PDB file of all heavy atoms in Angstrom:
ATOM      1  N   THR A 215     -60.688 -54.820  49.815  1.00 95.00           N
ATOM      2  CA  THR A 215     -59.620 -54.683  48.820  1.00 95.00           C
ATOM      3  C   THR A 215     -58.260 -54.751  49.495  1.00 95.00           C
ATOM      4  O   THR A 215     -58.044 -54.147  50.555  1.00 95.00           O
ATOM      5  CB  THR A 215     -59.745 -53.341  48.073  1.00 95.00           C
ATOM      6  OG1 THR A 215     -61.041 -53.271  47.465  1.00 95.00           O
ATOM      7  CG2 THR A 215     -58.679 -53.240  46.985  1.00 95.00           C
ATOM      8  N   ILE A 216     -57.347 -55.486  48.869  1.00 94.00           N
ATOM      9  CA  ILE A 216     -55.972 -55.574  49.370  1.00 94.00           C
ATOM     10  C   ILE A 216     -55.162 -54.431  48.787  1.00 94.00           C
ATOM     11  O   ILE A 216     -55.036 -54.311  47.561  1.00 94.00           O
ATOM     12  CB  ILE A 216     -55.319 -56.906  48.965  1.00 94.00           C
ATOM     13  CG1 ILE A 216     -56.187 -58.091  49.378  1.00 94.00           C
ATOM     14  CG2 ILE A 216     -53.926 -57.022  49.592  1.00 94.00           C
ATOM     15  CD1 ILE A 216     -55.667 -59.421  48.859  1.00 94.00           C
ATOM     16  N   PRO A 217     -54.579 -53.563  49.612  1.00 95.00           N
ATOM     17  CA  PRO A 217     -53.750 -52.470  49.096  1.00 95.00           C
ATOM     18  C   PRO A 217     -52.496 -53.002  48.409  1.00 95.00           C
ATOM     19  O   PRO A 217     -52.009 -54.095  48.728  1.00 95.00           O
ATOM     20  CB  PRO A 217     -53.377 -51.677  50.350  1.00 95.00           C
ATOM     21  CG  PRO A 217     -54.355 -52.107  51.394  1.00 95.00           C
ATOM     22  CD  PRO A 217     -54.702 -53.520  51.068  1.00 95.00           C
ATOM     23  N   SER A 218     -51.989 -52.265  47.503  1.00 94.00           N
ATOM     24  CA  SER A 218     -50.749 -52.631  46.828  1.00 94.00           C
ATOM     25  C   SER A 218     -49.628 -52.790  47.848  1.00 94.00           C
ATOM     26  O   SER A 218     -49.473 -51.964  48.752  1.00 94.00           O
ATOM     27  CB  SER A 218     -50.377 -51.548  45.809  1.00 94.00           C
ATOM     28  OG  SER A 218     -49.141 -51.836  45.210  1.00 94.00           O
ATOM     29  N   GLY A 219     -48.875 -53.871  47.715  1.00 93.00           N
ATOM     30  CA  GLY A 219     -47.745 -54.106  48.598  1.00 93.00           C
ATOM     31  C   GLY A 219     -48.050 -54.915  49.833  1.00 93.00           C
ATOM     32  O   GLY A 219     -47.130 -55.287  50.574  1.00 93.00           O
ATOM     33  N   VAL A 220     -49.321 -55.216  50.089  1.00 94.00           N
ATOM     34  CA  VAL A 220     -49.690 -56.016  51.264  1.00 94.00           C
ATOM     35  C   VAL A 220     -49.707 -57.489  50.878  1.00 94.00           C
ATOM     36  O   VAL A 220     -50.414 -57.901  49.952  1.00 94.00           O
ATOM     37  CB  VAL A 220     -51.069 -55.600  51.820  1.00 94.00           C
ATOM     38  CG1 VAL A 220     -51.527 -56.589  52.899  1.00 94.00           C
ATOM     39  CG2 VAL A 220     -51.007 -54.191  52.389  1.00 94.00           C
ATOM     40  N   ASP A 221     -48.917 -58.295  51.590  1.00 91.00           N
ATOM     41  CA  ASP A 221     -48.878 -59.740  51.388  1.00 91.00           C
ATOM     42  C   ASP A 221     -49.720 -60.385  52.482  1.00 91.00           C
ATOM     43  O   ASP A 221     -49.304 -60.434  53.639  1.00 91.00           O
ATOM     44  CB  ASP A 221     -47.440 -60.251  51.453  1.00 91.00           C
ATOM     45  CG  ASP A 221     -47.328 -61.763  51.285  1.00 91.00           C
ATOM     46  OD1 ASP A 221     -48.375 -62.429  51.073  1.00 91.00           O
ATOM     47  OD2 ASP A 221     -46.201 -62.294  51.374  1.00 91.00           O
ATOM     48  N   ILE A 222     -50.907 -60.855  52.128  1.00 92.00           N
ATOM     49  CA  ILE A 222     -51.802 -61.388  53.162  1.00 92.00           C
ATOM     50  C   ILE A 222     -51.272 -62.677  53.774  1.00 92.00           C
ATOM     51  O   ILE A 222     -51.702 -63.070  54.863  1.00 92.00           O
ATOM     52  CB  ILE A 222     -53.217 -61.616  52.618  1.00 92.00           C
ATOM     53  CG1 ILE A 222     -53.243 -62.730  51.556  1.00 92.00           C
ATOM     54  CG2 ILE A 222     -53.805 -60.321  52.073  1.00 92.00           C
ATOM     55  CD1 ILE A 222     -54.640 -63.184  51.198  1.00 92.00           C
ATOM     56  N   GLN A 223     -50.353 -63.371  53.101  1.00 89.00           N
ATOM     57  CA  GLN A 223     -49.806 -64.599  53.663  1.00 89.00           C
ATOM     58  C   GLN A 223     -48.922 -64.329  54.877  1.00 89.00           C
ATOM     59  O   GLN A 223     -48.724 -65.213  55.714  1.00 89.00           O
ATOM     60  CB  GLN A 223     -48.992 -65.348  52.595  1.00 89.00           C
ATOM     61  CG  GLN A 223     -49.798 -65.811  51.399  1.00 89.00           C
ATOM     62  CD  GLN A 223     -50.796 -66.901  51.747  1.00 89.00           C
ATOM     63  OE1 GLN A 223     -50.661 -67.589  52.752  1.00 89.00           O
ATOM     64  NE2 GLN A 223     -51.814 -67.065  50.922  1.00 89.00           N
ATOM     65  N   THR A 224     -48.399 -63.124  54.978  1.00 91.00           N
ATOM     66  CA  THR A 224     -47.492 -62.802  56.089  1.00 91.00           C
ATOM     67  C   THR A 224     -47.952 -61.617  56.935  1.00 91.00           C
ATOM     68  O   THR A 224     -47.601 -61.524  58.112  1.00 91.00           O
ATOM     69  CB  THR A 224     -46.075 -62.498  55.560  1.00 91.00           C
ATOM     70  OG1 THR A 224     -46.142 -61.424  54.611  1.00 91.00           O
ATOM     71  CG2 THR A 224     -45.480 -63.729  54.876  1.00 91.00           C
ATOM     72  N   ASN A 225     -48.752 -60.721  56.366  1.00 95.00           N
ATOM     73  CA  ASN A 225     -49.164 -59.524  57.090  1.00 95.00           C
ATOM     74  C   ASN A 225     -50.483 -59.790  57.818  1.00 95.00           C
ATOM     75  O   ASN A 225     -51.554 -59.303  57.444  1.00 95.00           O
ATOM     76  CB  ASN A 225     -49.318 -58.353  56.122  1.00 95.00           C
ATOM     77  CG  ASN A 225     -49.404 -57.014  56.849  1.00 95.00           C
ATOM     78  OD1 ASN A 225     -49.747 -56.961  58.039  1.00 95.00           O
ATOM     79  ND2 ASN A 225     -49.113 -55.933  56.146  1.00 95.00           N
ATOM     80  N   THR A 226     -50.393 -60.568  58.877  1.00 96.00           N
ATOM     81  CA  THR A 226     -51.605 -60.947  59.594  1.00 96.00           C
ATOM     82  C   THR A 226     -52.194 -59.780  60.388  1.00 96.00           C
ATOM     83  O   THR A 226     -53.397 -59.787  60.679  1.00 96.00           O
ATOM     84  CB  THR A 226     -51.327 -62.130  60.535  1.00 96.00           C
ATOM     85  OG1 THR A 226     -50.264 -61.796  61.437  1.00 96.00           O
ATOM     86  CG2 THR A 226     -50.936 -63.368  59.735  1.00 96.00           C
ATOM     87  N   GLN A 227     -51.385 -58.783  60.729  1.00 97.00           N
ATOM     88  CA  GLN A 227     -51.941 -57.619  61.424  1.00 97.00           C
ATOM     89  C   GLN A 227     -52.902 -56.876  60.520  1.00 97.00           C
ATOM     90  O   GLN A 227     -53.974 -56.425  60.956  1.00 97.00           O
ATOM     91  CB  GLN A 227     -50.827 -56.684  61.897  1.00 97.00           C
ATOM     92  CG  GLN A 227     -51.322 -55.541  62.776  1.00 97.00           C
ATOM     93  CD  GLN A 227     -52.007 -56.035  64.047  1.00 97.00           C
ATOM     94  OE1 GLN A 227     -51.449 -56.831  64.795  1.00 97.00           O
ATOM     95  NE2 GLN A 227     -53.234 -55.562  64.304  1.00 97.00           N
ATOM     96  N   TRP A 228     -52.555 -56.742  59.242  1.00 98.00           N
ATOM     97  CA  TRP A 228     -53.463 -56.079  58.296  1.00 98.00           C
ATOM     98  C   TRP A 228     -54.757 -56.882  58.178  1.00 98.00           C
ATOM     99  O   TRP A 228     -55.852 -56.311  58.144  1.00 98.00           O
ATOM    100  CB  TRP A 228     -52.806 -55.935  56.921  1.00 98.00           C
ATOM    101  CG  TRP A 228     -53.663 -55.151  55.968  1.00 98.00           C
ATOM    102  CD1 TRP A 228     -53.664 -53.792  55.785  1.00 98.00           C
ATOM    103  CD2 TRP A 228     -54.695 -55.669  55.113  1.00 98.00           C
ATOM    104  NE1 TRP A 228     -54.625 -53.434  54.875  1.00 98.00           N
ATOM    105  CE2 TRP A 228     -55.276 -54.565  54.434  1.00 98.00           C
ATOM    106  CE3 TRP A 228     -55.177 -56.940  54.848  1.00 98.00           C
ATOM    107  CZ2 TRP A 228     -56.312 -54.707  53.509  1.00 98.00           C
ATOM    108  CZ3 TRP A 228     -56.206 -57.089  53.931  1.00 98.00           C
ATOM    109  CH2 TRP A 228     -56.770 -55.993  53.271  1.00 98.00           C
ATOM    110  N   MET A 229     -54.643 -58.202  58.139  1.00 98.00           N
ATOM    111  CA  MET A 229     -55.831 -59.039  58.044  1.00 98.00           C
ATOM    112  C   MET A 229     -56.708 -58.888  59.292  1.00 98.00           C
ATOM    113  O   MET A 229     -57.940 -58.833  59.198  1.00 98.00           O
ATOM    114  CB  MET A 229     -55.435 -60.499  57.857  1.00 98.00           C
ATOM    115  CG  MET A 229     -54.803 -60.804  56.505  1.00 98.00           C
ATOM    116  SD  MET A 229     -55.967 -60.633  55.126  1.00 98.00           S
ATOM    117  CE  MET A 229     -57.051 -62.038  55.406  1.00 98.00           C
ATOM    118  N   ARG A 230     -56.087 -58.807  60.462  1.00 98.00           N
ATOM    119  CA  ARG A 230     -56.853 -58.619  61.704  1.00 98.00           C
ATOM    120  C   ARG A 230     -57.624 -57.298  61.660  1.00 98.00           C
ATOM    121  O   ARG A 230     -58.798 -57.230  62.040  1.00 98.00           O
ATOM    122  CB  ARG A 230     -55.923 -58.623  62.919  1.00 98.00           C
ATOM    123  CG  ARG A 230     -55.360 -59.972  63.291  1.00 98.00           C
ATOM    124  CD  ARG A 230     -54.373 -59.836  64.449  1.00 98.00           C
ATOM    125  NE  ARG A 230     -55.043 -59.477  65.689  1.00 98.00           N
ATOM    126  CZ  ARG A 230     -55.343 -60.329  66.662  1.00 98.00           C
ATOM    127  NH1 ARG A 230     -55.030 -61.622  66.543  1.00 98.00           N
ATOM    128  NH2 ARG A 230     -55.942 -59.933  67.761  1.00 98.00           N
ATOM    129  N   ASP A 231     -56.961 -56.260  61.209  1.00 98.00           N
ATOM    130  CA  ASP A 231     -57.551 -54.925  61.251  1.00 98.00           C
ATOM    131  C   ASP A 231     -58.605 -54.696  60.177  1.00 98.00           C
ATOM    132  O   ASP A 231     -59.508 -53.872  60.370  1.00 98.00           O
ATOM    133  CB  ASP A 231     -56.451 -53.864  61.098  1.00 98.00           C
ATOM    134  CG  ASP A 231     -55.472 -53.852  62.256  1.00 98.00           C
ATOM    135  OD1 ASP A 231     -55.818 -54.391  63.330  1.00 98.00           O
ATOM    136  OD2 ASP A 231     -54.355 -53.322  62.081  1.00 98.00           O
ATOM    137  N   ASN A 232     -58.509 -55.414  59.071  1.00 98.00           N
ATOM    138  CA  ASN A 232     -59.346 -55.090  57.914  1.00 98.00           C
ATOM    139  C   ASN A 232     -60.287 -56.199  57.449  1.00 98.00           C
ATOM    140  O   ASN A 232     -61.213 -55.933  56.688  1.00 98.00           O
ATOM    141  CB  ASN A 232     -58.444 -54.684  56.733  1.00 98.00           C
ATOM    142  CG  ASN A 232     -57.655 -53.431  57.012  1.00 98.00           C
ATOM    143  OD1 ASN A 232     -58.158 -52.323  56.881  1.00 98.00           O
ATOM    144  ND2 ASN A 232     -56.402 -53.611  57.429  1.00 98.00           N
ATOM    145  N   VAL A 233     -60.044 -57.422  57.885  1.00 98.00           N
ATOM    146  CA  VAL A 233     -60.875 -58.543  57.447  1.00 98.00           C
ATOM    147  C   VAL A 233     -61.437 -59.307  58.645  1.00 98.00           C
ATOM    148  O   VAL A 233     -62.651 -59.465  58.795  1.00 98.00           O
ATOM    149  CB  VAL A 233     -60.075 -59.510  56.539  1.00 98.00           C
ATOM    150  CG1 VAL A 233     -60.961 -60.680  56.080  1.00 98.00           C
ATOM    151  CG2 VAL A 233     -59.503 -58.775  55.330  1.00 98.00           C
ATOM    152  N   TRP A 234     -60.562 -59.773  59.499  1.00 98.00           N
ATOM    153  CA  TRP A 234     -60.978 -60.702  60.547  1.00 98.00           C
ATOM    154  C   TRP A 234     -61.799 -60.045  61.647  1.00 98.00           C
ATOM    155  O   TRP A 234     -62.619 -60.715  62.281  1.00 98.00           O
ATOM    156  CB  TRP A 234     -59.758 -61.412  61.117  1.00 98.00           C
ATOM    157  CG  TRP A 234     -59.071 -62.272  60.094  1.00 98.00           C
ATOM    158  CD1 TRP A 234     -59.635 -62.860  58.997  1.00 98.00           C
ATOM    159  CD2 TRP A 234     -57.694 -62.633  60.076  1.00 98.00           C
ATOM    160  NE1 TRP A 234     -58.698 -63.582  58.292  1.00 98.00           N
ATOM    161  CE2 TRP A 234     -57.487 -63.466  58.938  1.00 98.00           C
ATOM    162  CE3 TRP A 234     -56.604 -62.369  60.895  1.00 98.00           C
ATOM    163  CZ2 TRP A 234     -56.248 -64.006  58.611  1.00 98.00           C
ATOM    164  CZ3 TRP A 234     -55.366 -62.907  60.578  1.00 98.00           C
ATOM    165  CH2 TRP A 234     -55.194 -63.718  59.442  1.00 98.00           C
ATOM    166  N   ASP A 235     -61.602 -58.746  61.898  1.00 98.00           N
ATOM    167  CA  ASP A 235     -62.437 -58.086  62.896  1.00 98.00           C
ATOM    168  C   ASP A 235     -63.886 -58.056  62.432  1.00 98.00           C
ATOM    169  O   ASP A 235     -64.818 -58.261  63.225  1.00 98.00           O
ATOM    170  CB  ASP A 235     -61.920 -56.674  63.201  1.00 98.00           C
ATOM    171  CG  ASP A 235     -61.836 -55.786  61.971  1.00 98.00           C
ATOM    172  OD1 ASP A 235     -61.832 -56.309  60.836  1.00 98.00           O
ATOM    173  OD2 ASP A 235     -61.787 -54.546  62.137  1.00 98.00           O
ATOM    174  N   ILE A 236     -64.098 -57.824  61.145  1.00 98.00           N
ATOM    175  CA  ILE A 236     -65.457 -57.860  60.577  1.00 98.00           C
ATOM    176  C   ILE A 236     -65.988 -59.289  60.587  1.00 98.00           C
ATOM    177  O   ILE A 236     -67.125 -59.552  61.009  1.00 98.00           O
ATOM    178  CB  ILE A 236     -65.455 -57.302  59.143  1.00 98.00           C
ATOM    179  CG1 ILE A 236     -65.072 -55.827  59.138  1.00 98.00           C
ATOM    180  CG2 ILE A 236     -66.817 -57.518  58.484  1.00 98.00           C
ATOM    181  CD1 ILE A 236     -64.882 -55.252  57.749  1.00 98.00           C
ATOM    182  N   GLU A 237     -65.163 -60.202  60.128  1.00 98.00           N
ATOM    183  CA  GLU A 237     -65.615 -61.593  60.024  1.00 98.00           C
ATOM    184  C   GLU A 237     -66.000 -62.162  61.386  1.00 98.00           C
ATOM    185  O   GLU A 237     -66.970 -62.934  61.490  1.00 98.00           O
ATOM    186  CB  GLU A 237     -64.533 -62.449  59.379  1.00 98.00           C
ATOM    187  CG  GLU A 237     -64.969 -63.882  59.159  1.00 98.00           C
ATOM    188  CD  GLU A 237     -64.019 -64.667  58.283  1.00 98.00           C
ATOM    189  OE1 GLU A 237     -62.952 -64.152  57.900  1.00 98.00           O
ATOM    190  OE2 GLU A 237     -64.350 -65.836  57.977  1.00 98.00           O
TER     191      GLU A 237
END
Side-chain angles (χ1 to χ4, degrees):
T215 303
I216 307 173
S218 176
V220 171
D221 179 2
I222 66 168
Q223 297 292 339
T224 57
N225 194 338
T226 56
Q227 187 60 53
W228 185 89
M229 291 293 290
R230 287 176 69 101
D231 295 341
N232 296 279
V233 180
W234 296 333
D235 57 341
I236 296 173
E237 184 169 5

